[in-house]
Amino acid sequence: MPLDRSIIASLPLFEGLSPAELDGVLKDARAARFPKESTIFEQEAEVRSFFVLLAGHVRVVRATPDGRQVIARYISEGEIFGIAAALGRLTYPATAIAAVDCVVLVWPNAVWPDLAARFPVLSAGTFKTVGSRLQDAQARVVELATEHVEQRVANALLRLANQTGRKTEAGIEIDFPIWRQDIAEMTGTTLHTVSRLLSAWEERGIVVSGRQRVTVTDAHRLVLLAQHRSKD
Amino acid sequence: MPLDRSIIASLPLFEGLSPAELDGVLKDARAARFPKESTIFEQEAEVRSFFVLLAGHVRVVRATPDGRQVIARYISEGEIFGIAAALGRLTYPATAIAAVDCVVLVWPNAVWPDLAARFPVLSAGTFKTVGSRLQDAQARVVELATEHVEQRVANALLRLANQTGRKTEAGIEIDFPIWRQDIAEMTGTTLHTVSRLLSAWEERGIVVSGRQRVTVTDAHRLVLLAQHRSKD
DNA sequence: CGTGCGATTGACGCGTATCAATGTAAGTGG
DNA sequence: CCACTTACATTGATACGCGTCAATCGCACG
């Protein structure tokens, strides 16, 4: 049963493609559902597919040889991911895990060259995506090298709020379950320190947080904390 | 005066191109010389060109708003750099500085789409380059987030030695001037700490170092230091 | 109404940044 | 060619951020 083109027509990645072209893109795709906390692909595994996230949130994690792990990024709806093949890799550089129940489109690896050649929009869009992830990664390098834990955690929360925030009456809530350990793994610190920071911020009315839930209530002051320079 | 195709024929980036094609690639290029410590392009400046390094070493630096800086990478001979345009950026994300006297090829920005379309080898090669830089950057994020200063400095030296090392009778010498501050900016630490580490390592016979010069004499033990988890 | 996992909080100490002083090699100008 | 200057490197003393260890709390779920 072919997939309906309407499910991807509105995604920026496929912008400008005609209905017939959309069908062509979808011909080789299949939809898949991944329950919360299930693995979509695993680090070091052979690259077989690439993906577009239709619904949900995906956590991308890199593990170190000694068992520690770092969250490389969260994927939001509409994003392409697992494009290791296009970058000339044979194995995935990280593990992707559904942070909530997810729906994804899956293409077999082998169709990429053909798709990229037939749809320059797609190729250019992917180029841009990779470029912006490179920017991201290098910005994080700078952050880790120069900023203190407090600023890094503030920045991480702001990025999450921007990227996936849902407005509530209390403020901007991060709309997937996230626990202290996650935030620690995004910022290169420990859950203890994250907990202390969130507690302190909650006391000052900047955030409201609880079990697997964080709401930013005063983004402005959080920005100030994020920019706070140690030396001036 | 047209450039001779022999200057790029042996570079991996242009592998497989016919003599006529090489001439086509070179038609829009010009060669330029940058003296030691001169700026090739500046962070935030409008993107006008992209480059291939023919001779020398280039240091790529990102500055933070408060004046600190981080060395993003060193470019070696034969590498393409300053490809912000291909990634859809209007300004350079970093500053490139000649670490020694350099010779580079310069193409105007505008010819990229045409070149990329006419020479898929070039496009694919650039894709791979960007992909591997993304890998690099994310690996550094993990390093900064999980490892201690000593391991990070050891890793940085090993990478430099691998990438640009020159064998001497004493060991592998990094063949461009590098001072303590540079190593500090590669690893997110201070020149003081780097100095202390190098002194300690020199005492143990692992490196020999002096003013703007570092030679790795016992790479094996340095690898051990780099992998050293937690404690003894 | 327990049971357990996530969150909180305190105590402590290590790793490094920071501050400061001195050493030393490479220019530079007379 | 030598005194002077500048810039990089070394080394010690001190402070402190934050990781680590450990105990307790409290909300969710069976």
Side-chain angles (χ1 to χ4, degrees):
Chain A
M1 184 179 74
L3 297 161
D4 191 282
R5 72 178 76 102
S6 66
I7 59 178
I8 61 164
S10 62
L11 301 182
L13 190 60
F14 303 104
E15 207 168 337
L17 295 186
S18 72
E21 289 174 324
L22 288 174
D23 286 342
V25 169
L26 280 176
K27 196 169 69 65
D28 298 307
R30 64 184 179 83
R33 198 183 147 279
F34 287 91
K36 182 174 172 175
E37 295 301 322
S38 65
T39 302
I40 299 173
F41 59 78
E42 200 126 10
Q43 186 169 339
E44 310 302 342
E46 184 194 349
V47 172
R48 298 182 172 284
S49 318
F50 61 93
F51 309 83
V52 165
L53 181 62
L54 291 180
H57 293 281
V58 172
R59 175 163 26 98
V60 180
V61 177
R62 287 174 80 104
T64 66
D66 60 323
R68 301 189 58 173
Q69 48 181 48
V70 173
I71 296 182
R73 59 183 295 106
Y74 279 91
I75 305 292
S76 302
E77 297 184 0
E79 280 190 72
I80 191 170
F81 67 105
I83 45 177
L87 303 178
R89 287 192 52 102
L90 299 176
T91 60
Y92 292 107
T95 298
I97 295 171
V100 295
D101 289 355
C102 288
V103 180
V104 304
L105 287 179
V106 188
W107 281 264
N109 210 350
V111 304
W112 171 256
D114 186 49
L115 280 184
R118 268 159 61 209
F119 308 110
V121 201
L122 217 164
S123 170
T126 302
F127 229 126
K128 269 196 186 175
T129 299
V130 175
S132 89
R133 288 191 192 163
L134 179 56
Q135 294 312 310
D136 263 30
Q138 292 191 330
R140 280 183 76 190
V141 168
V142 172
E143 218 180 274
L144 283 162
T146 65
E147 295 181 356
H148 287 193
V149 169
E150 181 172 37
Q151 309 165 47
R152 301 206 304 264
V153 174
N155 268 317
L157 284 188
L158 287 170
R159 253 182 267 120
L160 285 175
N162 268 331
Q163 192 189 347
T164 70
R166 199 165 45 79
K167 264 210 126 64
T168 69
E169 58 178 45
I172 306 163
E173 179 175 352
I174 293 163
D175 84 336
F176 52 85
I178 185 165
W179 48 88
R180 303 294 180 266
Q181 179 69 33
D182 285 331
I183 300 176
E185 286 175 5
M186 297 180 68
T187 52
T189 179
T190 62
L191 75 164
H192 306 277
T193 299
V194 171
S195 181
R196 277 183 244 271
L197 285 171
L198 288 180
S199 296
W201 291 344
E202 181 142 16
E203 215 155 283
R204 296 166 61 187
I206 297 172
V207 303
V208 178
S209 76
R211 201 187 183 74
Q212 301 193 14
R213 214 194 71 252
V214 178
T215 304
V216 177
T217 55
D218 190 342
H220 183 63
R221 276 208 283 166
L222 199 54
V223 169
L224 289 182
L225 282 176
Q227 291 173 344
H228 204 286
R229 309 268 135 68
S230 49
K231 346 186 345 171
D232 253 327
Chain B
M1 183 178 76
L3 297 160
D4 193 281
R5 73 178 77 101
S6 66
I7 60 178
I8 61 164
S10 62
L11 301 183
L13 190 61
F14 304 104
E15 205 168 338
L17 295 186
S18 72
E21 289 174 324
L22 288 174
D23 288 341
V25 169
L26 280 177
K27 195 169 70 64
D28 299 307
R30 64 184 179 84
R33 198 184 146 278
F34 287 91
K36 181 173 171 175
E37 294 302 319
S38 64
T39 301
I40 300 174
F41 57 79
E42 200 127 11
Q43 185 168 340
E44 311 301 341
E46 185 193 348
V47 173
R48 297 181 173 286
S49 318
F50 61 93
F51 308 82
V52 165
L53 182 62
L54 291 181
H57 292 280
V58 172
R59 174 163 28 98
V60 180
V61 177
R62 288 174 80 104
T64 65
D66 61 322
R68 303 188 58 173
Q69 51 181 45
V70 173
I71 296 182
R73 59 182 297 104
Y74 279 91
I75 305 291
S76 302
E77 296 184 1
E79 280 190 72
I80 189 170
F81 67 105
I83 45 177
L87 303 178
R89 287 191 54 101
L90 299 176
T91 60
Y92 292 106
T95 298
I97 295 170
V100 296
D101 289 355
C102 287
V103 180
V104 304
L105 287 179
V106 189
W107 282 263
N109 209 353
V111 305
W112 170 256
D114 186 48
L115 280 185
R118 269 160 60 211
F119 307 111
V121 199
L122 216 164
S123 170
T126 303
F127 229 126
K128 268 195 187 175
T129 299
V130 175
S132 88
R133 290 192 191 163
L134 180 56
Q135 293 314 308
D136 263 28
Q138 292 191 331
R140 279 184 77 190
V141 167
V142 172
E143 218 180 274
L144 283 162
T146 65
E147 294 181 357
H148 287 193
V149 169
E150 182 171 37
Q151 308 165 45
R152 302 206 303 264
V153 173
N155 267 317
L157 284 188
L158 287 170
R159 253 183 267 119
L160 285 174
N162 267 331
Q163 192 189 344
T164 70
R166 200 165 44 79
K167 265 208 125 67
T168 69
E169 58 178 46
I172 307 163
E173 179 174 351
I174 294 162
D175 83 336
F176 53 84
I178 185 165
W179 47 88
R180 303 294 179 267
Q181 179 69 33
D182 284 331
I183 300 176
E185 286 175 4
M186 297 179 68
T187 52
T189 180
T190 62
L191 75 163
H192 307 276
T193 299
V194 171
S195 181
R196 276 183 243 272
L197 286 171
L198 288 180
S199 297
W201 291 345
E202 181 142 17
E203 214 154 286
R204 296 166 61 185
I206 298 172
V207 304
V208 179
S209 77
R211 199 186 184 76
Q212 302 192 17
R213 213 194 73 252
V214 178
T215 305
V216 177
T217 55
D218 190 342
H220 183 63
R221 275 207 284 167
L222 199 54
V223 169
L224 290 182
L225 282 175
Q227 292 173 343
H228 214 290
R229 307 293 164 199
S230 58
K231 271 284 145 60
D232 250 31

